[in-house]
Amino acid sequence: MASSKLATPEEILDEIGQDFLSCPVCLEQYKNPKILPCYHSFCQLCLEKLVEKTGSLNCPTCQRSVQLPEDKVTGLDNNFFMNSMLEVVKKRTGEVTDQNERKCEFCEETEASVFCMDCEQYYCEVCSEKIHKKMKRAAMHEVFTVEDCKKGIKTQKAIVKALENCKVHPKNEIKYYCDTCKIPICSECTIIDHRIPDHSHRYLQEVADECNKELSVLVEKLKVKAREVDQSRAEVKDACKKVTEQCMVNKQKVRKQKDALIDKIEKEERKLIEKLDTDCSLQVKGLESDISDLELKYENLLSAWSYTEALMHHGNPAQLLSKSLNVRSRLDEFVAMDTKHSIEHEEVVEFFPFYDITTDGILGFVRSDVGISQCTVDNIPECLLKGESINLQITTKDRSGKPVIPRQAVEVTLTKPDGSKTNLDVTDNRDGTHTVTANTDIDGKYQVAMTIGDQEIPESPFEIPVIKGLVKTLGKKGKNKGEFDRPLGLAINSDGNVVVADFDNNRTQIIDNDGNWKKTFKYTEFDESFLPIDVAVSADDKYFMTDKNNKQVVVSDEDGKVITTFGQNELTWPRSISISPLDGAVYVSDWDGERGDRTDKKGHCIRKYTTHGQYIKSFGKYGKENGEFKGPFMMAINNQGMLFVADFDNDRIQVFSADDQFLYKFGTKGAKDGQLFGPCGVCLDSDSFVYVSDCSCIQKFDSSGRFISRVDRKEDGLNTPRGLVITDGVPMKIIVADIKNHCLKVFVQS
């Protein structure tokens, strides 16, 4: 649609040349323009130069890679639209400047007054009225006055008309579209090159309307994309601004850190200089005192020397002999006097620079000779448990007792009970203290020797006994907090505390590893009094307790509040309880507690529940065959889901797979090491060793049942041990419920 205010020809051509007809590479009017797949156009020659220079072609505007055809740039599509515009501009440029001299192209005499766009001829007023307008075919021709031509209207229309006319038949207007060839055509084309039925035609406007609709949708999408790009551009600009601002902030931080470091360096310089001055002053005072002593000795020697020589050379015999006795005695004292002063024992102060910056110092530090008699060792333990670490601190001091960084090497040697020696790593803390750590892997007496510059520290060497076996007893008989009456099952909660089924006190207690009371769970809401035999703690810190009197499992939260109960329909006499680490399944050992062989035995099986208390199944029955039980007692499950069951009256341990199938058994009846007599407690450590308590002792087996060692000694006084648990950490501790001594006993054994 034409503008209401027409531009001059010069303005039109200038606008077209700058906005549409200039190549972005050479910035001149296009010469044989080629259009790339990204719809950016460039001169053919400009593209050929780029290909010659780089060997490939990327769009100079968007940098998109272009796959060149076999004939290189020549084979790229021509921009016909741009070529048509260029041809029209070139053809019409001259006409704008010489229109005052135009003559009628019909009579060739009179000055032209109009121009026919369709005939492309100038007419005078007479020829236009009498001849041109009377031609039937000229009825629809578009005619302009010469004045309109001067204003540029003709040039604009010419450009449009040139684009609307057929390229094959330039005189014909394009009115159709060949669907077969996908190009606009004129009427003559439909007869010659695009004949029906080989070709299918439609009116150009119909196809253009369809195209406009499709393009309108795409244009709307492009507008959305443009807005998104604009928004993203704004966001990126904002991010760029923030990065720049952050950079400035960080630069300020760098400068601030630099200033702080300079300040720290200057302070440390003053501190080190002061330290050197102080140490130097102390040493100089000592040396000056020595100088005074030496000068006094020198004066005394000179005086005695001069007096003696004067007596020898100038005194008479009577004078000489009368004084000789005193003189000899005095001279003997001077001759015996120590006149040599050794400075080898003096303390040397030396500055050692740092070769890398540390948080504690930048420039360096001052090392001094130590006064070996002033050095001390702290944290020497009276004894250690097997597996615990020795953690010692050595403080190096000068002769005045002030901590100093030593010039001499600090060395520590550890001699194990088996006689083997190890040189331990010593960490210099650069403040006059040194730390030493060593592990104890066998029991016995360890000897620790410490030297500084080949001189032994006071108290060195010293011994540290490392013990195993029974290391402590927790609790005693009673009803108070931390006291027990026949404790049975044990568990370790997520805090590392010990959970105890305090059987005859009708409660569950929680204590720490030193026996300090933490919590008590006690219930009065059941039909019968709560009588716990065993306890297990789930991964989500729920407590599962077997309740003998009520033939159930009680589940509580960390504070002892009952969440649910289950098992009342299946359990006869619930004993032990264990939770599988694989799927959270709950295993409960069940038997009636009657001794001897009977045909009406109840239970003697393992019952399996979901973590929510839903009954799954039972396996096992009364008997002595594989997978049968005579009093299944305590249980333990390893990380593979294998179940270890203490089969009490069969004097054995039975092992089942994660899918509850019998795998193997171990143990023979007897009271010797490696034999079992009424096994009731069983637990596993992280290395899959199996610990079993029977009626009188605790024994250690490997996972296949091979006897390793006995954990307790007869003098430890176990009396009917039951539940067992293993603590995490180093050293590993074995805790056993000593039922008839009404306490827990803690053993160390590895």
Side-chain angles (χ1 to χ4, degrees):
M1 183 176 178
S3 172
S4 59
K5 181 181 179 180
L6 296 175
T8 64
E10 290 78 5
E11 290 173 338
I12 295 173
L13 293 175
D14 183 60
E15 181 179 346
I16 292 176
Q18 290 182 14
D19 295 343
F20 303 104
L21 305 181
S22 295
C23 172
V25 175
C26 63
L27 304 180
E28 297 180 359
Q29 198 173 78
Y30 284 109
K31 300 177 182 64
N32 192 18
K34 295 287 185 178
I35 186 167
L36 302 183
C38 55
Y39 297 107
H40 293 129
S41 297
F42 307 92
C43 297
Q44 178 176 336
L45 182 60
C46 292
L47 295 177
E48 288 174 345
K49 288 181 179 179
L50 289 174
V51 172
E52 182 181 354
K53 183 177 181 180
T54 63
S56 60
L57 180 60
N58 291 334
C59 174
T61 299
C62 66
Q63 298 302 311
R64 179 177 175 180
S65 177
V66 178
Q67 185 69 35
L68 291 171
E70 292 183 1
D71 48 355
K72 305 294 181 180
V73 175
T74 305
L76 294 172
D77 291 339
N78 293 316
N79 191 334
F80 294 108
F81 176 78
M82 194 68 68
N83 276 328
S84 298
M85 292 184 70
L86 289 169
E87 289 174 6
V88 170
V89 170
K90 290 177 182 178
K91 182 177 179 181
R92 302 301 180 186
T93 300
E95 297 176 359
V96 177
T97 59
D98 60 357
Q99 286 171 1
N100 289 332
E101 302 175 2
R102 288 286 183 183
K103 296 291 184 179
C104 175
E105 295 182 37
F106 192 79
C107 67
E108 297 183 350
E109 294 179 357
T110 311
E111 183 179 352
S113 60
V114 296
F115 176 78
C116 177
M117 180 67 69
D118 297 278
C119 298
E120 293 191 358
Q121 286 185 321
Y122 283 91
Y123 296 97
C124 64
E125 187 174 350
V126 175
C127 292
S128 174
E129 294 293 331
K130 292 183 176 182
I131 299 174
H132 182 258
K133 285 185 178 181
K134 290 182 178 182
M135 294 188 296
K136 291 183 179 181
R137 62 183 180 85
M140 301 301 293
H141 287 193
E142 194 165 6
V143 179
F144 298 94
T145 66
V146 172
E147 292 299 320
D148 287 339
C149 291
K150 291 180 180 181
K151 295 177 181 178
I153 296 175
K154 184 197 75 171
T155 302
Q156 290 176 307
K157 294 291 185 178
I159 292 173
V160 174
K161 184 174 180 61
L163 295 177
E164 291 180 350
N165 285 0
C166 179
K167 291 181 175 60
V168 180
H169 310 100
K171 297 291 185 179
N172 297 339
E173 183 181 355
I174 295 173
K175 294 184 178 180
Y176 303 98
Y177 182 80
C178 178
D179 285 319
T180 305
C181 300
K182 306 297 182 185
I183 59 173
I185 57 177
C186 66
S187 299
E188 195 170 348
C189 289
T190 64
I191 299 172
I192 300 173
D193 297 321
H194 300 269
R195 299 177 62 182
I196 298 174
D198 295 331
H199 293 258
S200 175
H201 316 138
R202 284 188 292 164
Y203 282 111
L204 182 67
Q205 190 62 47
E206 176 187 345
V207 180
D209 291 342
E210 290 180 2
C211 183
N212 274 333
K213 289 180 180 178
E214 294 172 358
L215 292 178
S216 295
V217 174
L218 292 176
V219 167
E220 290 303 317
K221 292 181 179 179
L222 287 178
K223 289 179 181 179
V224 172
K225 288 292 182 182
R227 288 193 293 270
E228 290 176 353
V229 170
D230 187 54
Q231 181 179 353
S232 296
R233 179 179 60 183
E235 291 173 354
V236 172
K237 285 183 178 180
D238 185 57
C240 182
K241 180 181 178 182
K242 289 180 179 178
V243 169
T244 304
E245 292 174 349
Q246 187 63 36
C247 180
M248 296 301 296
V249 171
N250 285 318
K251 285 181 180 179
Q252 289 298 112
K253 288 182 179 179
V254 170
R255 295 186 183 98
K256 185 177 180 180
Q257 180 70 1
K258 177 206 68 174
D259 294 339
L261 287 175
I262 291 174
D263 183 60
K264 185 174 182 179
I265 290 171
E266 291 175 346
K267 288 180 179 178
E268 189 169 343
E269 176 195 23
R270 291 192 293 271
K271 181 179 177 181
L272 290 170
I273 294 298
E274 182 180 345
K275 165 73 173 170
L276 290 170
D277 285 341
T278 301
D279 291 347
C280 177
S281 176
L282 290 173
Q283 292 196 41
V284 167
K285 285 181 179 179
L287 292 173
E288 287 177 344
S289 177
D290 291 341
I291 291 172
S292 298
D293 291 341
L294 290 171
E295 287 179 345
L296 180 59
K297 289 179 180 179
Y298 183 70
E299 292 296 332
N300 290 336
L301 289 172
L302 284 180
S303 177
W305 175 11
S306 300
Y307 176 78
T308 304
E309 282 193 336
L311 184 62
M312 289 168 57
H313 296 296
H314 303 291
N316 55 41
Q319 291 174 328
L320 177 63
L321 293 175
S322 64
K323 299 291 185 179
S324 63
L325 187 60
N326 291 333
V327 169
R328 285 176 184 274
S329 176
R330 186 62 173 163
L331 292 180
D332 287 339
E333 290 179 9
F334 285 140
V335 170
M337 183 175 61
D338 183 12
T339 56
K340 292 183 178 180
H341 182 74
S342 174
I343 61 172
E344 294 179 355
H345 70 280
E346 297 295 341
E347 296 177 4
V348 176
V349 177
E350 186 176 358
F351 172 73
F352 287 80
F354 282 140
Y355 293 99
D356 58 352
I357 295 177
T358 69
T359 56
D360 295 328
I362 298 175
L363 300 179
F365 53 93
V366 174
R367 291 188 184 274
S368 304
D369 283 335
V370 300
I372 195 70
S373 62
Q374 299 293 329
C375 297
T376 58
V377 182
D378 298 314
N379 303 332
I380 302 175
E382 293 183 3
C383 67
L384 291 173
L385 301 180
K386 182 181 176 182
E388 281 187 324
S389 297
I390 301 172
N391 297 297
L392 304 173
Q393 178 172 294
I394 305 167
T395 303
T396 50
K397 304 176 182 179
D398 60 17
R399 287 187 293 179
S400 66
K402 182 175 63 176
V404 293
I405 302 174
R407 294 179 63 250
Q408 299 87 346
V410 179
E411 297 179 343
V412 179
T413 303
L414 180 71
T415 304
K416 295 184 178 182
D418 60 5
S420 61
K421 295 186 177 183
T422 304
N423 291 323
L424 302 181
D425 292 332
V426 180
T427 301
D428 185 351
N429 300 318
R430 291 178 177 169
D431 60 357
T433 64
H434 303 70
T435 52
V436 182
T437 301
N439 295 320
T440 60
D441 53 1
I442 58 177
D443 57 294
K445 291 184 178 180
Y446 284 71
Q447 188 179 79
V448 183
M450 299 181 173
T451 59
I452 302 177
D454 298 328
Q455 296 184 71
E456 284 197 339
I457 295 176
E459 301 184 35
S460 173
F462 53 86
E463 290 185 343
I464 301 175
V466 175
I467 62 174
K468 67 174 184 178
L470 179 63
V471 295
K472 68 173 69 174
T473 297
L474 307 178
K476 62 180 180 179
K477 184 173 183 178
K479 298 185 179 297
N480 296 323
K481 294 177 179 178
E483 297 178 345
F484 307 104
D485 192 347
R486 298 184 67 204
L488 287 174
L490 305 177
I492 301 292
N493 66 14
S494 59
D495 295 325
N497 294 323
V498 185
V499 187
V500 186
D502 192 3
F503 185 73
D504 277 347
N505 276 328
N506 305 102
R507 65 188 181 184
T508 296
Q509 288 198 84
I510 302 176
I511 62 172
D512 64 19
N513 288 324
D514 294 319
N516 299 308
W517 176 87
K518 295 295 182 181
K519 290 180 183 178
T520 295
F521 300 166
K522 196 163 186 175
Y523 306 105
T524 58
E525 62 265 39
F526 304 127
D527 294 338
E528 301 291 337
S529 60
F530 175 64
L531 200 61
I533 293 182
D534 195 14
V535 60
V537 183
S538 66
D540 57 351
D541 291 323
K542 292 184 176 65
Y543 291 74
F544 290 69
M545 297 162 280
T546 53
D547 179 5
K548 174 189 172 184
N549 276 355
N550 294 286
K551 298 180 175 56
Q552 65 181 1
V553 174
V554 179
V555 184
S556 78
D557 61 16
E558 295 178 87
D559 296 321
K561 182 179 179 181
V562 175
I563 299 172
T564 187
T565 63
F566 62 85
Q568 295 90 341
N569 296 326
E570 301 84 31
L571 296 171
T572 303
W573 186 4
R575 286 293 184 117
S576 179
I577 187 165
S578 287
I579 301 174
S580 172
L582 298 184
D583 56 8
V586 181
Y587 291 81
V588 182
S589 63
D590 187 20
W591 60 301
D592 59 11
E594 295 292 334
R595 306 297 296 271
D597 293 327
R598 291 176 46 183
T599 58
D600 60 343
K601 289 287 186 180
K602 298 179 181 179
H604 294 275
C605 63
I606 307 299
R607 306 202 187 272
K608 186 175 182 179
Y609 300 84
T610 68
T611 189
H612 300 296
Q614 296 173 327
Y615 177 67
I616 300 174
K617 66 176 181 179
S618 298
F619 57 92
K621 63 178 182 177
Y622 182 79
K624 60 182 179 180
E625 300 301 322
N626 293 340
E628 297 178 346
F629 304 100
K630 288 185 178 182
F633 215 104
M634 299 295 184
M635 302 178 296
I637 305 177
N638 67 13
N639 290 331
Q640 287 74 46
M642 294 169 60
L643 177 68
F644 292 72
V645 183
D647 191 1
F648 187 82
D649 277 336
N650 279 324
D651 302 299
R652 64 186 180 181
I653 302 295
Q654 293 198 69
V655 184
F656 297 83
S657 65
D659 56 358
D660 311 322
Q661 300 300 310
F662 173 82
L663 294 176
Y664 60 91
K665 62 188 176 184
F666 63 86
T668 58
K669 185 174 182 178
K672 296 181 180 179
D673 287 348
Q675 296 180 325
L676 298 174
F677 185 72
C680 47
V682 59
C683 67
L684 309 167
D685 67 17
S686 58
D687 295 321
S688 297
F689 286 106
V690 186
Y691 298 83
V692 181
S693 64
D694 61 13
C695 290
S696 60
C697 68
I698 306 170
Q699 299 183 77
K700 178 180 179 180
F701 300 85
D702 66 15
S703 59
S704 65
R706 184 176 62 90
F707 174 74
I708 302 298
S709 64
R710 179 169 169 172
V711 175
D712 68 311
R713 301 171 300 173
K714 289 184 179 180
E715 51 266 38
D716 294 332
L718 282 177
N719 192 346
T720 317
R722 286 293 183 259
L724 293 168
V725 287
I726 301 289
T727 65
D728 293 330
V730 178
M732 181 189 74
K733 299 182 182 69
I734 306 161
I735 304 177
V736 59
D738 191 351
I739 185 171
K740 290 190 177 179
N741 285 318
H742 308 283
C743 64
L744 309 184
K745 289 184 176 178
V746 183
F747 295 84
V748 171
Q749 200 271 347
S750 58

